[in-house]
Amino acid sequence: MIYNKNPLPSEGEILVATVKQVFDYGSYVTLDEYGNLQAFLPWSEISSRWVKNIRDVIKEGRKIIVKVIRVDKRKGAIDVSLKKVTEDEKRKKNAQWKKLQKVDKILEIVSQKIGKTEKEAWEQVAWKLEDKYRDVYDALVKAIKEGDHILKDAGVPDIWIKPLMDEIGKHIEEKRVKVSETITLRSSSPDGIERIKKVLGAAAEIAESYDVDIKIYTIGAPRYRIDVIGTDPKFLSKVLTEILSNIREVSKEENVEFGVAKK
C-alpha cells in the first residue's frame, strides 16, 4: 500500500483513485496515494458532456485519474473531479503512477525481508528520499548509478541500505530503446536561427510532457536528427509522431520550411 506523509491531499492535486461504490448521485472512491483514503466524486464532476447512465463512464473497481476540488480538514471530507483533469495531466499522472508502483513494490519486498511494516518502509525510506531529492523513484535510480551514499545522505537507516540496493537493481533497471527521425528545417528570415530554435524547443516540450528523453542535434544544416528514448518502442513511436506533427505546426507559425529527410 502507498502511504503519503500528508494526512490529506491539497486542492488541485492530481491523484489516482479506485472506484468503490457508484450511485445515481455520484461515486465514492479511494485515493491510492493516501492509504486508500475515501473521497466523493459528485455526478456533476464526472463528465463535461451529458451522460445518461453514470456507469457508462465509471465502474466499481476501475482506476481513474481525479483532481481534488475540495478538502474539509475539520471533517476530513474530500471531493474530487474527473472532468477537470486534462489529457496532459492524465498522461503525466499515468507516467508518475507507474514509477510509484515500482517504488511501492520494492518497499513491500524489502520490508518483508527485514521484518518491518510497509508503513515503516514509507516513513523510513520513501519520505526521507522525498525530503532530500523530491522524487523517490529518481532517487532510487540515482542510487543504482552513483552508489548507496544516495540513500545514506537522505538519512535512510542502515538496516534498509543493502536489501534496498539489491531490489532496486532487479526492479528499476530497464532496457532503454530509441526511435529516430531526420528532418530538415530552413528559414530565409534574418532571425532564421532563432525561429528554428523555437521550433525545436516546442518539440522538446512535447517529449517532456510524456516523460521520455529526447535528443535533438544537427547532422549538417539544414538536417536535424531527433532521438526519442524510453522503454516502450510502440509508445516512443507514438510520441515521435506527435513531435513531428507539432514541429510541422510550429514551423508554419514561424515561417520555417519543414521536411522529413529521405532515408
Side-chain angles (χ1 to χ4, degrees), residues 63-74:
K63 290 197 182 295
I64 56 177
I65 309 296
V66 298
K67 177 176 286 188
V68 179
I69 57 174
R70 187 180 72 90
V71 179
D72 186 329
K73 294 182 179 180
R74 184 173 59 86

Side-chain angles (χ1 to χ4, degrees), residues 2-173:
I2 296 171
Y3 293 91
N4 198 296
K5 62 182 177 182
N6 300 312
L8 294 171
S10 56
E11 289 187 14
E13 198 168 347
I14 306 297
L15 299 170
V16 174
T18 302
V19 179
K20 290 299 181 181
Q21 294 176 296
V22 179
F23 302 96
D24 291 339
Y25 54 83
S27 171
Y28 286 97
V29 304
T30 54
L31 305 178
D32 293 46
E33 296 156 84
Y34 280 84
N36 292 332
L37 189 67
Q38 182 173 275
F40 181 62
L41 172 61
W43 166 273
S44 60
E45 293 296 332
I46 288 176
S47 177
S48 55
R49 60 183 176 83
W50 183 79
V51 177
K52 183 177 180 180
N53 188 337
I54 191 173
R55 288 178 173 81
D56 291 339
V57 181
I58 56 173
K59 295 180 181 179
E60 284 90 348
R62 181 174 294 176
K63 290 197 182 295
I64 56 177
I65 309 296
V66 298
K67 177 176 286 188
V68 179
I69 57 174
R70 187 180 72 90
V71 179
D72 186 329
K73 294 182 179 180
R74 184 173 59 86
K75 295 181 179 179
I78 305 161
D79 286 351
V80 297
S81 172
L82 183 61
K83 73 178 185 181
K84 286 186 171 66
V85 181
T86 67
E87 286 302 314
D88 184 53
E89 289 172 332
K90 190 180 295 184
R91 283 196 298 266
K92 289 180 178 179
K93 190 63 195 182
N94 278 325
Q96 182 191 46
W97 177 243
K98 289 178 182 179
K99 292 180 178 180
L100 199 56
Q101 285 180 303
K102 287 189 178 183
V103 170
D104 184 46
K105 185 63 178 178
I106 291 169
L107 295 181
E108 178 188 357
I109 292 172
V110 174
S111 62
Q112 290 175 354
K113 282 185 176 181
I114 65 175
K116 299 284 188 178
T117 65
E118 282 187 63
K119 189 171 184 180
E120 286 176 317
W122 282 90
E123 291 171 344
Q124 298 176 27
V125 178
W127 296 355
K128 289 184 180 296
L129 292 175
E130 185 180 345
D131 288 340
K132 177 74 174 177
Y133 305 107
R134 296 187 62 184
D135 188 290
V136 181
Y137 181 90
D138 289 348
L140 295 180
V141 172
K142 193 177 179 72
I144 281 294
K145 293 178 178 178
E146 300 181 22
D148 61 12
H149 72 87
I150 298 298
L151 306 178
K152 294 177 179 178
D153 290 348
V156 175
D158 288 342
I159 191 174
W160 294 93
I161 302 297
K162 187 179 185 308
L164 269 173
M165 293 299 291
D166 291 341
E167 289 301 323
I168 295 170
K170 296 176 185 177
H171 295 271
I172 284 187
E173 283 199 343

Side-chain angles (χ1 to χ4, degrees), residues 90 142 199 206 232 250:
K90 190 180 295 184
K142 193 177 179 72
V199 171
I206 292 290
D232 184 340
V250 179

Side-chain angles (χ1 to χ4, degrees), residues 38 114 125 127 146 192 205 212 215-216 224 228 233 248:
Q38 182 173 275
I114 65 175
V125 178
W127 296 355
E146 300 181 22
E205 288 180 7
V212 297
K215 292 182 180 179
I216 303 176
Y224 299 84
V228 184
R248 183 177 288 106

